[in-house]
Amino acid sequence: MTILWAFIIGGLICVAGQLLIDLTQLTPARILVIFVVAGCLLSGMGLYQWLVDLAGAGALVPLPGFGHVLAQGVKKAIDERGWIGIFTGGFAAMAGGVTVAIVFGYIAALVTKPSGSAAM
């Protein structure tokens, strides 16, 4: 059942992003920021964890999930280290995910060739 909920919730988050692109003048970068900030705010209010419990990766993989993990990392770091956790918690929480993205992006760049029309 979690797989079905992951598909539904993740799909709805993607639909929301597509609607924002199609129906507003917002740039994709602003939409990404809105999603991350929304994830942080919903996590801070205790609402996003319910969605994660329901949909698993369907709620964690999209950008609001990134905001949720950042907020949870900051919360945990504040509990453990005090106010300095405000500055370190987000980095510690996302270090693994960001490292994987960089490493696999680098590997993809090594094994692929840009086409003549796309390279600038």
Side-chain angles (χ1 to χ4, degrees):
M1 195 66 180
T2 302
I3 295 172
L4 178 63
W5 280 114
F7 180 78
I8 291 170
I9 299 299
L12 287 173
I13 292 170
C14 293
V15 166
Q18 190 63 49
L19 287 173
L20 286 172
I21 289 171
D22 291 344
L23 301 176
T24 69
Q25 297 295 318
L26 293 171
T27 63
R30 289 185 179 174
I31 294 169
L32 298 176
V33 170
I34 289 168
F35 276 179
V36 172
V37 170
C40 285
L41 292 175
L42 290 172
S43 182
M45 293 186 288
L47 301 175
Y48 206 81
Q49 187 60 48
W50 174 82
L51 204 57
V52 170
D53 294 340
L54 175 67
L60 284 175
V61 172
L63 282 168
F66 182 78
H68 168 69
V69 172
L70 285 173
Q72 293 302 307
V74 169
K75 181 180 173 188
K76 180 180 175 187
I78 289 172
D79 291 341
E80 292 174 358
R81 298 185 196 112
W83 67 271
I84 196 73
I86 294 170
F87 305 106
T88 62
F91 293 111
M94 291 310 303
V98 171
T99 301
V100 167
I102 291 170
V103 168
F104 283 107
Y106 181 70
I107 291 170
L110 289 176
V111 299
T112 61
K113 283 186 179 180
S115 65
S117 63
M120 291 186 80

